[in-house]
Amino acid sequence: MTADVVVLGLGYVGLPLAQEAARAGLSVIGFDINDAVVNGLNEGRSHVDDLSDDDIAELLRHGFRATTDESAIAEADAAVICVPTPLAEDGGPDLRPVISATRTIARQLHPGMLVVLESTTYPGTTEEVVRPILEEGGLVAGRDFALAFSPERIDPGNPVYGMKNTPKVVGGLTPECTDRAAAFYGRFVDTVVPAKGTREAETAKLLENTYRHINIALVNEMARFCHELGIDLWNVIEMAKTKPFGFQAFYPGPGVGGHCIPIDPNYLSYNVRARLGYPFRFVELAQEINATMPAYVARRAQDILNEDSIAMRGSTILMLGVTYKPDIADQRESPAVPLAKQLMRMGAEVRYHDPNVATWDVNGTELTSVTDLDEALASADLTLLVQNHKTYDVDALAASAKRFFDTKGVVTAPGAHRL
């Protein structure tokens, strides 16, 4: 073998994995079906927030190479699948990328190889979907090759926790498979945590995100009735945080976004319904609450305008920040999109500003970030803070705006409205 590992899928999960493995001295090949991604990486260009062009240059110096040639997979001792699993129409994961990557590995599978799935999915995928495909050529998982699941825990934009210092859960098809996968990750991850098996590892990831999903829904629902009762929920949360045990703070917002929270809990709900025939009620209620937050924020915006006898129809609303997290360019599942659509349906002219997003597609309409923020603030009937990027001086922005609606609970300027 000429490579320690081949990483299939060179996005926000696969690239950080390749980076840490290469830094630890492993020989790494990156495989992707996207020619532009592969060519860009081989020329030293990054396409993800967490890695700069300098990081890619370092990766290349360590011997990393990206390729669209699947025969390179046969050169590796281990293959790690890091492809996306978007939400399918039936509420479950769209496994087509996983199936395609697995078939690609199956054509190059050799005795002694380790195959690990990192893509988030429902419990049973590794054993029931990935394993049969890999075994079609006659090799048997757990005997001729090792098979495991290790959930990705990448948090884009997190300055503290990354691939190396975030504990890595690993669950193998057999105890021996777990040991093999744990030894592999132990070469470049500080802490490896063995799971009982693949299903436990798959479910652990879903529990992590379902926990957040449900608690965000709790505070989102509280935001609605606290507003009606004249209670400052943001202050309530700060007070609750003073308890040194038994409480973890979650915060309301215009909706949930990203690759995990709005999507992953649905995989668990889908699996429960499909296999057991009854709903996972906590998840479905949380989804209902969180999915309606953009519409709620739009109604609150309408109320703010109505207080000054201004109709939503024909008004100009400036949205600040359209990414799903602060200080990154990632827009996946950002609540800014359904919020903008709702405002447009209500007749508003929507403009936006985001230092990380030059152009923004909303329902087929391409918007361009305003270049003169001061002018945009002065002319907008309402300025709506959707994402609090660190470059924003929120109180100064609120002071310059005609009306300011803060959905992130950070403004202290008098006269501004908060969710």
Side-chain angles (χ1 to χ4, degrees):
M1 297 297 103
T2 61
D4 292 305
V5 59
V6 58
V7 180
L8 288 85
L10 300 176
Y12 73 95
V13 174
L15 269 184
L17 190 155
Q19 179 188 42
E20 290 301 337
R23 281 177 172 172
L26 279 70
S27 54
V28 183
I29 298 172
F31 175 85
D32 204 289
I33 61 174
N34 188 318
D35 286 322
V37 166
V38 167
N39 292 336
L41 290 172
N42 286 331
E43 293 168 5
R45 296 192 305 274
S46 177
H47 60 283
V48 298
D49 286 306
D50 284 352
L51 274 75
S52 66
D53 289 351
D54 288 342
D55 290 325
I56 301 303
E58 178 195 17
L59 192 55
L60 293 172
R61 286 195 299 273
H62 284 301
F64 170 83
R65 76 180 193 274
T67 183
T68 58
D69 180 4
E70 69 173 63
S71 66
I73 296 170
E75 303 174 27
D77 288 325
V80 183
I81 301 172
C82 300
V83 298
T85 46
L87 198 63
E89 291 183 2
D90 62 1
D94 181 351
L95 291 180
R96 286 177 295 180
V98 169
I99 291 170
S100 177
T102 304
R103 285 176 175 156
T104 302
I105 294 172
R107 290 192 291 269
Q108 309 298 330
L109 188 66
H110 55 76
M113 195 174 199
L114 166 67
V115 180
V116 183
L117 175 64
E118 287 209 3
S119 307
T120 306
T121 182
Y122 61 81
T125 302
T126 305
E127 187 172 350
E128 299 167 8
V129 177
V130 174
R131 179 184 181 180
I133 295 172
L134 294 176
E135 291 184 336
E136 286 176 357
L139 297 179
V140 177
R143 186 190 70 190
D144 301 314
F145 66 93
L147 177 62
F149 181 84
S150 180
E152 61 89 2
R153 283 174 160 176
I154 297 296
D155 184 19
N158 191 320
V160 177
Y161 290 104
M163 182 72 201
K164 180 173 174 57
N165 65 347
T166 301
K168 200 81 173 80
V169 171
V170 176
L173 183 68
T174 65
E176 293 75 21
C177 290
T178 300
D179 291 343
R180 174 79 185 280
F184 164 72
Y185 282 110
R187 297 177 67 182
F188 58 94
V189 177
D190 292 341
T191 305
V192 177
V193 185
K196 184 177 181 180
T198 58
R199 293 171 186 267
E200 286 75 16
E202 290 163 338
T203 309
K205 173 59 184 286
L206 299 182
L207 176 59
E208 294 168 17
N209 289 333
T210 299
Y211 169 80
R212 294 172 61 195
H213 187 53
I214 289 172
N215 280 281
I216 291 169
L218 170 64
V219 292
N220 275 338
E221 187 160 39
M222 288 189 72
R224 302 187 189 201
F225 68 70
C226 281
H227 172 68
E228 295 296 327
L229 296 173
I231 298 170
D232 186 340
L233 176 61
W234 303 97
N235 184 247
V236 169
I237 295 171
E238 290 305 304
M239 296 305 98
K241 280 171 59 179
T242 63
K243 186 179 181 181
F245 54 89
F247 180 82
Q248 181 180 354
F250 289 83
Y251 299 92
V256 292
H259 60 286
C260 290
I261 305 304
I263 296 176
D264 295 356
N266 291 289
Y267 299 165
L268 197 51
S269 178
Y270 166 84
N271 196 237
V272 170
R273 276 190 177 274
R275 290 176 178 268
L276 304 178
Y278 54 81
F280 189 171
R281 290 183 292 171
F282 265 120
V283 168
E284 295 185 6
L285 178 59
Q287 182 66 22
E288 177 186 333
I289 293 169
N290 289 335
T292 58
M293 285 306 291
Y296 171 73
V297 170
R299 289 194 300 272
R300 284 284 305 278
Q302 185 178 43
D303 291 342
I304 292 168
L305 292 171
N306 283 343
E307 289 175 7
D308 291 335
S309 302
I310 298 174
M312 176 70 84
R313 183 167 298 279
S315 65
T316 300
I317 295 182
L318 173 64
M319 296 175 60
L320 301 179
V322 297
T323 58
Y324 89 88
K325 284 184 67 176
D327 309 318
I328 64 173
D330 199 333
Q331 303 166 50
R332 284 173 298 172
E333 306 299 324
S334 170
V337 172
L339 175 55
K341 289 180 180 179
Q342 183 68 22
L343 293 170
M344 289 175 175
R345 280 195 294 267
M346 296 167 76
E349 178 188 343
V350 173
R351 307 179 72 192
Y352 88 98
H353 176 272
D354 193 306
N356 304 298
V357 181
T359 60
W360 184 41
D361 184 89
V362 180
N363 208 24
T365 300
E366 187 172 280
L367 305 179
T368 301
S369 179
V370 298
T371 54
D372 190 334
L373 183 53
D374 291 334
E375 185 280 329
L377 286 165
S379 62
D381 294 300
L382 174 66
T383 298
L384 208 164
L385 181 68
V386 183
Q387 191 53 263
N388 183 28
H389 296 304
K390 65 183 178 183
T391 55
Y392 288 152
D393 183 340
V394 176
D395 285 333
L397 295 172
S400 299
K402 293 179 181 178
R403 297 162 196 85
F404 195 86
F405 182 17
D406 169 20
T407 70
K408 307 304 287 186
V410 292
V411 71
T412 61
H417 301 265
R418 292 204 296 179
L419 186 63

